[in-house]
Amino acid sequence: MSNAQDPAQGRTQDHASADRVVIFDTTLRDGEQCPGASMTLEEKLQVADLLDTMGVDVIEAGFPIASNGDFESVAEIARRTRNAVVAGLARAIPVDIARAGEAVKSARRPRIHTFVSTSPIHLEHQMRKTQDQVIDIIAGTVAQARNLVDNVEWSAMDATRTPIDYLQRCVETAVKAGATTINLPDTVGYATPSEYEAMFRQVRAYILDRVPNGEQIVFSAHCHDDLGLAVANSLAALAGGARQIECTINGLGERAGNAALEEVVMAIKTRGDVLPFATGIEATMLTRASKLVSAVTSFPVQYNKAIVGRNAFAHESGIHQDGMLKNNTTYEIMTPDSVGVSKTSLVMGKHSGRAAFRDKLKALGYELGENALNDAFSRFKELADRKKVVYDEDIEALVDHEIAAAHDRMKLVSLSVIAGSHGPQRATMKMAVDGVVATEECEGNGPVDAVFNCIQAIVPHAAKLALYQVHAVTEGTDAQAEVSVRLEDGDKAVTGRGSDPDTLVASAQAYIIALNKLATKRGSMNAQAQPAAE
């Protein structure tokens, strides 16, 4: 299959002996549905650009009908994406499909991804439709989508709890109406690998037997991690004939999340003996993608997360360390550099110039515009004056903070805190809101409480603090603190993350970033209810 077009109708492939697996990334759609993980337009564009550069075949850019903000972000991603297919999600409702078609029409390779529930429990309690009524809906809405674009994906929501004979009938209807990709999602994370593989095998065999040119249909897996089986199920689907896997960076997604893109890619890359497939992903960019998504969503990556966690290549056990010193293959099945992890370096300091800083950012995977570069360089010089040594991780934390806060309406100007064993503690804060600087002085039950009381006084709000977490970016007593703050206001939840050598400054930054996200989320919400999809 040398230089054949892949099923995503996008990139070319050159894998003489391996079957090509299409990587469909839904970080910007399903990932953003994770409570607290909302992104601004600029943040979505940065993520989309990186996904396109690293070789993702299909970028599901959003849910255009959900809000004007979602529509605009999908349309802009469609306009600027160079290589990947750009998909917009739509319910099986004519207005949804028309809106998705409008959003992706500027893409070089547009796709409409439409879905409808098929399981008895969904038909009875959510759809309130009969099986025959849903069949009619599939036929009509898939045909509508196919009239707008040549690349149509259809999904059977809750496929794994759908009787196989009815699922086969639904898939046949979608294919005959014009669907080119069929997705059979494990919407609630219920399936086991053997069950999921068997489902794909049965449905695919049925289509090959009954539909002319059925072998041209791409079958897709979309798995949730409620039982911790999302990646295992996705790989099992390949054995059943699937050739597209839908996943997200860091496994971000609703409830327990989705299959993690980095885990899927590295499983295929590392275990070619039992997974004779290939992807088009540049694996050395996986760590950078993980850090960017973590920064823009303010969702920290757990330390022991596979592939991209901080401890993924760390060895503390004496036996493990001894083996690593003799031969690293004793306890590492892949090398850190294969996923873009570089050894900590100390090459930057307070005497480093702008050109050296730009080169360092490029080596770390950042491409900043001139204004963003100037802001980041100013912060770097301030940091270099305060820390003895500046590690790569320090620079990444610094730039990621700039990315997260670049377009914020509310920003910290200055902070001073009086703390100690004899309370109450007192904080004095200056904060800019839409360019206007306000000053407040507040007491609190501890310095963090005093800081947060200042923010509450300057920007009154009803949000509740649901999470406050601190960890060090690097080692040493002068290490930067990285603080995560989660705010909840009714059914809305957002997370902010800040970093600074002063833990209290980092705490204020994180809270203010979260507050900005909450304000943005309120502004972008409309009356349109957004259902949980897949």
Side-chain angles (χ1 to χ4, degrees), residues 509-527:
Q509 290 174 343
Y511 197 108
I512 292 169
I513 287 172
L515 207 55
N516 275 289
K517 287 188 173 184
L518 191 60
T520 300
K521 198 165 188 177
R522 282 196 189 113
S524 65
M525 296 290 286
N526 65 6

Side-chain angles (χ1 to χ4, degrees), residues 347-394:
V347 297
M348 300 298 292
K350 63 181 181 180
H351 299 298
S352 299
R354 189 183 306 271
F357 183 68
R358 188 195 298 269
D359 288 344
K360 169 58 72 173
L361 292 183
K362 188 173 183 180
L364 293 174
Y366 293 94
E367 294 285 349
L368 299 184
E370 199 61 32
N371 290 339
L373 175 67
N374 291 338
D375 291 341
F377 183 67
S378 296
R379 284 201 71 208
F380 161 71
K381 297 295 277 188
E382 293 173 7
L383 180 63
D385 282 334
R386 298 166 70 187
K387 277 178 60 66
K388 297 174 184 176
V389 290
V390 179
Y391 296 88
D392 286 357
E393 292 90 339
D394 288 315

Side-chain angles (χ1 to χ4, degrees), residues 68 113 140 142 161 204 217 243 302 319 337 387 402 486 510 514 521 528:
N68 289 333
H113 178 193
V142 171
R161 295 193 295 176
R204 186 168 179 271
I217 301 301
R243 288 298 179 267
Q302 67 188 67
I319 294 174
D337 58 291
K387 277 178 60 66
E402 290 294 327
R486 181 183 173 114
K521 198 165 188 177
Q528 179 74 45

Side-chain angles (χ1 to χ4, degrees), residues 4-35:
Q5 281 294 115
D6 75 17
Q9 300 179 13
R11 308 171 190 277
T12 58
Q13 53 179 305
D14 188 11
H15 302 293
S17 61
D19 279 341
R20 179 69 151 79
V21 175
V22 175
I23 297 298
F24 175 115
D25 183 274
T26 183
T27 303
L28 298 174
R29 199 278 301 170
D30 203 328
E32 205 200 15
Q33 286 180 203
C34 178

Side-chain angles (χ1 to χ4, degrees), residues 410-444:
M410 297 169 268
K411 295 189 176 184
L412 178 67
V413 176
S414 66
L415 174 68
S416 61
V417 180
I418 299 173
S421 58
H422 299 290
Q425 287 70 34
R426 178 172 291 275
T428 303
M429 175 183 290
K430 286 186 178 180
M431 190 173 153
V433 181
D434 292 329
V436 179
V437 176
T439 303
E440 280 291 344
E441 184 175 327
C442 296
E443 293 182 346

Side-chain angles (χ1 to χ4, degrees), residues 194-215:
S194 59
E195 292 171 332
Y196 204 51
E197 176 186 343
M199 180 187 69
F200 275 93
R201 197 177 297 280
Q202 289 176 271
V203 174
R204 186 168 179 271
Y206 180 89
I207 293 301
L208 290 174
D209 183 56
R210 295 177 63 92
V211 178
N213 301 316
E215 69 281 355

